[in-house]
Amino acid sequence: MHSFNGVILAGGHSSRMGTDKALLSLDGETLLERAKHLLFECGATNVTVCRNDGNPAHINDQFKDSGPLGGIHAALTEDSSLPTLVIPVDLPLMHSSDLSRLIDEGFKHQCTSHFDNLYIPIFIWNPETLLEGLTQRLEEGKGLSLKRFFAEREECSIPCKEDQSLLNANTPEEWQEILERFQTL
C-alpha cells in the first residue's frame, strides 16, 4: 500500500454554476463529501480541502485568484512530505479505479501523472521539489495554466477508462447531464 496525501480543490467562485459547486448534492452527499470519501477510498493518508471559506479546517490560498495552481500551492505549503493526489470538487462521477491508476503510474515511474489532455486530477510524485517552482510561478503572477506548468516537468499521461468520470459540473447544464447519467449508473 502506497502512502500519499489527498487534496480537494474547492476554492473556485462557481460563477458559471451560479451556486457553490462544493455544496451541490448527489445521492445525499455534497460534492465535497463525495470527493473526501473518494480520496480515502483510494487510500489517501490525509485529505486536505483547499477552500477559501473561512472554515479553520480548510486551507486558504496564499495567492488569491490564481486558480488551481494557487490551491495546489496552498496544500503543498501545508504538507509536501508525501506524494499527493489532487482532485477538483466538481468531478462527481470520478471512479476510485481511475484515480488508483494515476497513483500506481506515479509510483511505478516515480513521476507526476495525469489523464491524457487533462491536468487535474493529478498525482504529484515529488511535491517538495515542485513547490519551489510553483511558488516562483505564482509570485510572478503569469503563466498560471495547469497545462503549461506541469508540461514543463517530468510527467506521464495515461488514458481514463471511463469518459464519464471526467465530466465536470461547471454550469447548470453540465450539472443536469451529470444528474441524468448518475441515474443510469
Side-chain angles (χ1 to χ4, degrees):
M1 187 70 153
H2 303 297
S3 292
F4 66 93
N5 287 327
V7 171
I8 302 166
L9 299 181
H13 298 295
S14 299
S15 55
R16 289 182 284 168
M17 180 62 76
T19 189
D20 190 343
K21 293 186 286 189
L23 302 179
L24 293 173
S25 182
L26 186 63
D27 200 28
E29 279 186 306
T30 66
L31 295 191
L32 185 55
E33 291 167 335
R34 288 180 73 78
K36 283 181 190 176
H37 291 144
L38 181 63
L39 287 170
F40 282 124
E41 184 180 324
C42 290
T45 305
N46 254 335
V47 173
T48 300
V49 177
C50 295
R51 185 165 165 78
N52 302 311
D53 63 355
N55 183 330
H58 298 161
I59 305 291
N60 292 312
D61 292 355
Q62 295 172 8
F63 294 92
K64 301 294 181 207
D65 298 320
S66 56
L69 286 181
I72 292 170
H73 175 270
L76 298 185
T77 298
E78 185 76 13
D79 184 357
S80 62
S81 64
L82 291 173
T84 302
L85 177 62
V86 180
I87 66 170
V89 75
D90 60 1
L91 290 179
L93 301 180
M94 178 56 64
H95 293 277
S96 61
S97 60
D98 282 317
L99 292 175
S100 292
R101 290 178 55 237
L102 282 182
I103 297 161
D104 291 344
E105 193 73 15
F107 274 99
K108 179 179 176 183
H109 297 289
Q110 297 185 353
C111 70
T112 292
S113 59
H114 59 85
F115 295 118
D116 292 339
N117 301 313
L118 188 68
Y119 282 84
I120 196 159
I122 191 163
F123 178 77
I124 301 170
W125 169 249
N126 192 340
E128 195 172 316
T129 301
L130 181 90
L131 188 55
E132 183 180 331
L134 183 54
T135 302
Q136 181 180 352
R137 178 71 56 98
L138 290 165
E139 286 173 347
E140 292 169 359
K142 53 187 170 190
L144 300 180
S145 152
L146 282 168
K147 180 178 180 179
R148 183 179 298 155
F149 180 76
F150 284 104
E152 297 169 359
R153 278 135 186 89
E154 187 172 330
E155 59 172 304
C156 45
S157 174
I158 65 171
C160 184
K161 288 185 177 178
E162 295 287 335
D163 287 341
Q164 70 182 8
S165 292
L166 301 178
L167 290 177
N168 67 354
N170 281 318
T171 66
E173 295 79 20
E174 290 171 346
W175 178 241
Q176 190 59 43
E177 181 181 352
I178 285 168
L179 291 174
E180 290 169 9
R181 287 190 184 225
F182 184 75
Q183 297 304 318
T184 63
L185 296 179

